[in-house]
């Protein structure tokens, strides 16, 4: 087990993005806020405009409030309350939590359960920090406690309930995307027209940079996290990556990572090292990055087309497959990979 790896990788990711950022916002009036204690990751907001101080204060308050209500590590959070009352009673939830859960169930249906908001019992079983392979029996038990139909949402009463004891929702694949959409509302309300939001590597580029050119987002090389596989030039869109290189442990040469196939109960094994999804809606991009990582390259293509998303897949055989539509926006440069476009 390489316990330091996940933190190291997260810092590397953060560093690579900071590097790109600082080179993009030098000598301008951008204001940056760094946040270390939200969603278990490092975040950074970089804004340009008249009301940057006010907008950053509001964004900071929103992120801390959301984290307090959603963190599974906080026993007082709404999510902890929902999970501990599984099979027992319904729990009162705030409006945005209910909205996020309702939409998450809809997308669990949409992705045929490869993204499943109730994957918590399996995620907890595979607790990466423990670095232990669970028994087949315990995996089977946890699979039975997984299924989006176990989450009942009552919008009128503003409550939700998990109908099976031991079932648990897990917001790991959605909270950052959902929060990004809320941050965008705050930015727009404050008249901010140029910004880069980065919640733990989940990025959203608002508008162009101050010089009128698009933002450049480096896509990390899953095989060497100090490098990138290329840069994406984008505006008004989110760019969100799921990969097997951030949170994992290794045993007997096998990597056990943090994204679970809810059908097998094991870390997904679809031949991918990472997938980056590009969509104007950060919530959809966050969900699809996780879903496509589980589903695999070829089988994800209908989902991407239907949802009007673009993507970049990095496969175990060192090929980068990128949407042909990205041709003019994706500047690639890494000799460790073969690059192929797809339609
Ligand atoms: P990251 O959190 O590193 O940005 P993702 O957005 O892909 O990456 O989310 C992965 C997290 O989502 C896991 O750490 C876990 O909490 C949760 N998760 C794992 N597998 C699934 C799944 N199949 N469906 C929904 N959530 C998942
Ligand atoms: Mg995700």
């Amino acid at each position: 087990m390489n316990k330091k790896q996940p933190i190291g990788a997260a810092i590397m990711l953060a560093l690579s993005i900071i590097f790109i950022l600082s080179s993009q916002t030098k000598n301008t009036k951008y204001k940056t806020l760094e946040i270390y204690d939200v969603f278990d990751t490092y975040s950074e907001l970089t804004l340009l405009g008249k009301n940057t101080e006010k907008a950053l204060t509001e964004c900071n308050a929103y992120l801390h409030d959301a984290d307090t209500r959603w963190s599974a590590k906080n026993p007082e959070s709404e999510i902890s309350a929902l999970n501990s009352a599984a099979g027992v009673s319904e729990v009162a939830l705030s409006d945005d939590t209910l909205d996020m859960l309702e939409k998450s169930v809809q997308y669990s249906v949409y992705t045929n359960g490869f993204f499943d908001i109730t994957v918590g019992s399996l995620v907890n079983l595979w607790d990466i920090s423990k670095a232990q392979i669970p028994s087949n029996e315990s995996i089977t038990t946890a699979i039975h406690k997984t299924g989006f139909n176990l989450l009942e949402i009552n919008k009128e009463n503003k409550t939700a309930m998990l109908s099976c004891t031991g079932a648990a929702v897990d917001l790991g694949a959605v909270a950052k995307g959902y929060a990004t959409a809320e941050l965008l509302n705050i930015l727009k309300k404050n008249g901010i027209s140029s910004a880069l939001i980065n919640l733990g590597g989940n990025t959203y580029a608002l508008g162009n940079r101050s010089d009128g050119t698009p933002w450049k987002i480096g896509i990390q090389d899953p095989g060497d996290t100090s490098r990138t596989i290329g840069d994406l030039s984008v505006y008004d869109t989110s760019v969100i990556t799921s990969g097997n290189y951030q949170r994992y442990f290794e045993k007997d040469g096998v990597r056990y990572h943090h994204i679970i196939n809810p059908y097998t109960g094991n870390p997904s094994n679809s031949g991918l090292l990472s997938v980056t999804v590009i969509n104007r809606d950060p919530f959809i991009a966050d969900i699809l990055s996780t879903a496509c990582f589980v589903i695999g390259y070829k089988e994800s293509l209908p989902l991407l087309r239907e949802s009007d998303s673009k993507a970049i897949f990095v496969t175990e055989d060192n090929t980068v497959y990128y949407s042909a539509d990205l041709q003019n926006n994706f500047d690639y440069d890494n000799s460790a990979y073969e690059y192929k476009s797809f339609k």
Side-chain angles (χ1 to χ4, degrees):
M1 155 74 176
N2 183 352
K3 275 199 174 158
K4 286 195 177 131
Q5 179 63 28
I7 297 165
I11 291 170
M12 287 312 302
L13 177 73
L15 285 179
S16 63
I17 287 170
I18 294 169
F19 172 74
I20 290 165
L21 253 184
S22 57
S23 63
Q24 291 185 80
T25 56
K26 225 185 256 168
N27 304 327
T28 66
K29 295 206 172 90
Y30 279 96
K31 284 234 161 59
T32 296
L33 173 71
E34 296 180 309
I35 305 169
Y36 292 87
D37 56 351
V38 161
F39 301 151
D40 217 6
T41 189
Y42 168 82
S43 299
E44 191 176 72
L45 311 176
T46 299
L47 321 183
L48 179 72
K50 280 190 195 133
N51 297 324
T52 47
E53 296 281 358
K54 182 169 167 277
L56 284 176
T57 306
E58 287 177 29
C59 287
N60 194 32
Y62 172 75
L63 287 174
H64 281 90
D65 174 53
D67 188 55
T68 306
R69 290 180 294 115
W70 298 344
S71 170
K73 284 189 180 153
N74 169 14
E76 309 282 305
S77 77
E78 293 180 20
I79 295 307
S80 296
L82 177 65
N83 289 344
S84 23
V88 179
S89 63
E90 47 182 33
V91 167
L93 298 173
S94 41
D95 288 345
D96 59 348
T97 310
L98 273 171
D99 182 54
M100 173 170 50
L101 290 178
E102 191 186 29
K103 288 181 174 148
S104 295
V105 170
Q106 287 163 2
Y107 278 99
S108 300
V109 176
Y110 183 67
T111 61
N112 284 320
F114 286 103
F115 158 80
D116 192 315
I117 190 65
T118 65
V119 78
S121 58
L122 282 165
V123 170
N124 296 338
L125 185 66
W126 278 99
D127 182 354
I128 296 299
S129 66
K130 286 200 190 119
Q132 273 169 12
I133 301 168
S135 67
N136 287 337
E137 205 186 351
S138 59
I139 291 174
T140 305
T141 307
I143 288 175
H144 287 128
K145 296 178 188 298
T146 301
F148 50 84
N149 55 335
L150 301 174
L151 179 59
E152 295 160 6
I153 295 170
N154 187 330
K155 274 193 101 174
E156 249 168 49
N157 294 352
K158 299 192 177 189
T159 60
M161 176 174 174
L162 284 157
S163 60
C164 166
T165 314
V169 303
D170 184 298
L171 301 182
V174 292
K176 296 191 284 296
Y178 191 88
T180 299
E182 292 296 309
L183 294 181
L184 283 173
N185 290 334
I186 296 175
L187 298 190
K188 284 177 186 158
K189 202 181 68 194
N190 283 287
I192 306 288
S193 55
S194 175
L196 194 66
I197 299 173
N198 165 23
L199 303 186
N202 285 24
T203 51
Y204 188 96
L206 177 66
N208 281 314
R209 293 183 289 182
S210 57
D211 65 0
T213 59
W215 291 96
K216 275 204 167 92
I217 314 268
I219 309 299
Q220 202 162 30
D221 177 350
D224 175 356
T225 51
S226 66
R227 302 182 55 179
T228 64
I229 55 159
D231 287 342
L232 265 182
S233 295
V234 288
Y235 61 93
D236 290 339
T237 197
S238 52
V239 177
I240 297 188
T241 301
S242 290
N244 71 358
Y245 56 92
Q246 284 157 332
R247 297 178 199 247
Y248 66 87
F249 67 90
E250 275 176 346
K251 235 178 193 149
D252 301 327
V254 179
R255 181 174 293 195
Y256 299 91
H257 60 80
H258 69 139
I259 303 180
I260 310 293
N261 181 333
Y263 290 99
T264 65
N266 288 299
S268 73
N269 182 18
S270 66
L272 294 179
L273 301 178
S274 74
V275 53
T276 300
V277 173
I278 298 103
N279 190 295
R280 293 172 72 91
D281 182 331
F283 183 67
I284 294 174
D286 198 5
I287 287 181
L288 287 184
S289 72
T290 309
C292 293
F293 190 77
V294 180
I295 294 169
Y297 161 53
K298 277 252 157 79
E299 291 72 16
S300 290
L301 300 188
L303 210 53
L304 292 169
R305 269 184 229 117
E306 262 168 50
S307 60
D308 205 13
S309 308
K310 298 172 192 106
I312 301 170
F313 295 85
V314 184
T315 62
E316 280 169 357
D317 62 4
N318 293 336
T319 307
V320 175
Y321 294 95
Y322 62 95
S323 301
D325 288 350
L326 293 174
Q327 199 100 2
N328 299 326
N329 314 75
F330 186 40
D331 184 16
Y332 52 81
D333 51 7
N334 191 323
S335 58
Y337 296 93
E338 192 182 345
Y339 291 81
K340 292 181 182 169
S341 65
F342 66 85
K343 280 206 161 104

